[in-house]
Amino acid sequence: MGTFEVPLDGERAQLDAFVEEYRSAVEATLDGLTEEQARRRLVPSATTLLGLLKHVTWMQRIWFEECVGGTPRRELGLVQTPDESFRLADEDTVASVTAAHREACATARTVVAELPLDAVVTGHRTGPRTLRWVYLQVLRELAHHCGHADILREQVRAG
């Protein structure tokens, strides 16, 4: 369900629609690109289109599996810092990173399914917060990185 289909729905439906729209948008920035294009570095940092999808996968696992679900990132097998989450391994491909993103999204949906937005979650190392706050943080990150991805895709396609 798209964001323009839920303007009068409840807050949860609206948040879910926005998060889902940005999840899809960040994946779509890889559509039609070669593996080389997806990995191409156009800025001094490690940011690439494929790296952005890998990072937002990591980010969602941090907020939903660690913060909401209560499993520490070490147990989840996640790297410790945001910078590390952009780094691509030789075996990372558009297909494998996209599959990992979709799996993380499915897990996130399951983790939050029965929780109200006012639920206080305590799994994050910086302290408790509400599920609503987690949704807003994830939405902010997704929107932020979709903007980066749009610009990088434009550069890749022009080059």
Side-chain angles (χ1 to χ4, degrees):
M1 184 168 300
T3 55
F4 283 93
E5 297 174 65
V6 295
L8 300 177
D9 288 10
E11 182 181 16
R12 182 62 168 268
Q14 291 176 353
L15 288 170
D16 282 333
F18 274 89
V19 167
E20 292 299 333
E21 194 166 278
Y22 278 108
R23 284 172 171 162
S24 295
V26 75
E27 276 190 26
T29 63
L30 295 172
D31 288 352
L33 299 182
T34 65
E35 294 293 332
E36 184 278 325
Q37 288 172 316
R39 289 174 161 272
R40 190 177 297 165
R41 286 184 64 179
L42 300 165
V43 294
S45 72
T47 305
T48 64
L49 284 165
L50 191 58
L52 279 167
L53 185 59
K54 189 171 183 176
H55 169 72
V56 299
T57 301
W58 174 86
M59 175 271 299
Q60 290 182 83
R61 293 194 67 199
I62 294 297
W63 289 114
F64 292 116
E65 295 177 45
E66 180 182 48
C67 182
V68 178
T71 306
R73 62 186 75 182
R74 284 197 193 283
E75 286 182 38
L76 293 169
L78 298 174
V79 296
Q80 296 298 302
T81 68
D83 285 348
E84 292 173 283
S85 72
F86 283 91
R87 292 190 191 126
L88 297 171
D90 290 342
E91 64 271 9
D92 288 330
T93 64
V94 171
S96 70
V97 174
T98 299
H101 181 250
R102 291 178 181 171
E103 183 179 331
C105 293
T107 299
R109 287 182 206 102
T110 300
V111 167
V112 301
E114 302 299 320
L115 296 174
L117 291 173
D118 291 331
V120 175
V121 295
T122 60
H124 198 267
R125 60 188 175 195
T126 61
R129 60 209 64 235
T130 64
L131 180 60
R132 178 180 290 102
W133 188 97
V134 171
Y135 263 91
L136 293 170
Q137 172 63 17
V138 168
L139 182 57
R140 175 173 65 177
E141 287 254 358
L142 287 168
H144 182 78
H145 292 307
C146 276
H148 292 147
D150 286 342
I151 292 167
L152 290 176
R153 181 179 171 84
E154 185 177 328
Q155 290 177 316
V156 164
R157 301 287 287 181

XYZ file of all heavy atoms in Angstrom, residues 4 16 20 28 38 68 70 99 102 104 117-118 123 134 139 148 150:
123
model
N 0.169 7.509 -0.499
C -0.986 8.326 -0.857
C -2.304 7.572 -0.716
O -3.370 8.142 -0.877
C -0.826 8.900 -2.272
C 0.118 10.060 -2.300
C 1.457 9.877 -2.571
C -0.330 11.342 -2.016
C 2.340 10.937 -2.573
C 0.537 12.423 -2.017
C 1.878 12.224 -2.290
N 3.985 2.430 8.421
C 4.335 1.235 7.644
C 4.404 1.560 6.151
O 5.326 1.120 5.457
C 3.326 0.111 7.883
C 3.528 -0.605 9.201
O 4.670 -0.633 9.707
O 2.541 -1.150 9.728
N 7.806 1.161 3.988
C 7.812 0.222 2.863
C 8.146 0.924 1.550
O 8.876 0.382 0.714
C 6.473 -0.511 2.749
C 6.187 -1.470 3.878
C 7.198 -2.604 4.007
O 7.839 -2.996 3.011
O 7.352 -3.113 5.135
N 15.231 -0.167 -5.609
C 15.018 0.163 -7.024
C 16.188 0.927 -7.632
O 16.356 0.920 -8.856
C 13.723 0.960 -7.184
N 26.970 -0.996 -9.713
C 26.446 -1.005 -8.343
C 27.560 -0.810 -7.323
O 27.328 -0.282 -6.233
C 25.699 -2.310 -8.072
N 14.582 -3.372 19.160
C 13.231 -3.876 19.472
C 13.289 -5.325 19.928
O 12.696 -5.694 20.941
C 12.281 -3.723 18.263
C 10.905 -4.304 18.581
C 12.161 -2.260 17.843
N 15.907 -7.110 21.009
C 16.749 -7.350 22.176
C 17.959 -8.241 21.960
O 18.632 -8.606 22.921
N 18.703 -9.750 -1.433
C 18.075 -10.839 -0.670
C 18.226 -10.610 0.830
O 17.273 -10.814 1.593
C 18.664 -12.180 -1.072
N 15.796 -7.876 1.880
C 14.413 -8.374 1.947
C 14.197 -9.254 3.168
O 13.143 -9.191 3.802
C 14.057 -9.101 0.659
C 13.949 -8.135 -0.501
C 13.653 -8.801 -1.803
N 13.596 -7.778 -2.849
C 13.524 -8.036 -4.141
N 13.471 -9.293 -4.563
N 13.492 -7.050 -5.010
N 15.875 -8.987 6.021
C 15.872 -8.086 7.176
C 14.527 -7.365 7.302
O 14.012 -7.187 8.414
C 17.006 -7.068 7.064
N 2.767 1.210 19.042
C 3.772 2.252 18.828
C 4.305 2.834 20.131
O 5.432 3.328 20.173
C 3.207 3.369 17.953
C 2.951 2.986 16.496
C 2.243 4.122 15.776
C 4.245 2.606 15.791
N 3.508 2.776 21.197
C 3.947 3.309 22.488
C 4.782 2.323 23.297
O 5.264 2.669 24.385
C 2.742 3.748 23.320
C 2.063 4.977 22.737
O 2.753 5.788 22.099
O 0.844 5.117 22.926
N 16.451 -2.619 23.831
C 17.612 -3.349 23.344
C 18.759 -2.510 22.817
O 19.831 -3.028 22.576
N 11.558 4.432 17.008
C 12.332 3.552 16.134
C 11.835 3.690 14.696
O 12.630 3.823 13.762
C 12.276 2.080 16.609
C 12.884 1.134 15.582
C 12.967 1.935 17.960
N 12.737 5.567 9.271
C 12.221 6.351 8.156
C 13.198 7.469 7.786
O 13.488 7.691 6.605
C 10.849 6.930 8.512
C 10.144 7.731 7.435
C 9.968 6.915 6.172
C 8.807 8.220 7.960
N 20.771 9.933 -1.277
C 22.132 9.632 -1.715
C 22.099 8.687 -2.924
O 22.815 8.904 -3.906
C 22.932 8.944 -0.605
C 23.227 9.805 0.559
N 23.302 9.314 1.833
C 23.475 11.132 0.663
C 23.580 10.289 2.655
N 23.687 11.404 1.974
N 19.747 8.105 -5.120
C 19.239 8.742 -6.340
C 20.341 9.508 -7.063
O 20.483 9.419 -8.282
C 18.088 9.697 -6.016
C 16.801 8.996 -5.665
O 16.649 7.800 -5.983
O 15.924 9.656 -5.060
